[in-house]
Amino acid sequence: MNGNKWVRQIHRWLAIAFTVTVIVTTVALVQEEPVVWVSYVPLLPLALLLFTGLYLFVLPHAAKWRSRRDTARGK
């Protein structure tokens, strides 16, 4: 697998991890004595999702920029 496929796979697994942490957090916070720090648990996978998502968002634009640059050079 090349780098882009790895990033896509990591992004998918992070999405699953984020969903699980949100469910666990919801269950933990509806308890009679909620543990408030649990509400911060989903932030790590969410931050990682942000970075991988931005990378995946920029990929098609970067390919266009590269093809324009190569065309301008005459390659």
Side-chain angles (χ1 to χ4, degrees):
M1 265 199 250
N2 63 17
N4 294 340
K5 288 185 180 181
W6 277 105
V7 172
R8 287 183 193 281
Q9 193 67 28
I10 289 169
H11 188 77
R12 288 183 190 124
W13 282 105
L14 282 171
I16 293 168
F18 175 70
T19 304
V20 168
T21 58
V22 168
I23 293 168
V24 167
T25 300
T26 304
V27 169
L29 291 178
V30 297
Q31 301 298 316
E32 204 169 297
E33 296 276 333
V35 181
V36 179
W37 65 266
V38 174
S39 62
Y40 296 113
V41 172
L43 293 179
L44 178 63
L46 183 61
L48 296 172
L49 272 171
L50 171 71
F51 293 120
T52 57
L54 287 173
Y55 175 79
L56 292 171
F57 178 77
V58 170
L59 276 178
H61 302 290
K64 285 181 189 177
W65 295 330
R66 274 189 248 125
S67 69
R68 281 190 204 149
R69 186 185 63 197
D70 291 343
T71 305
R73 285 186 187 173
K75 287 187 177 180

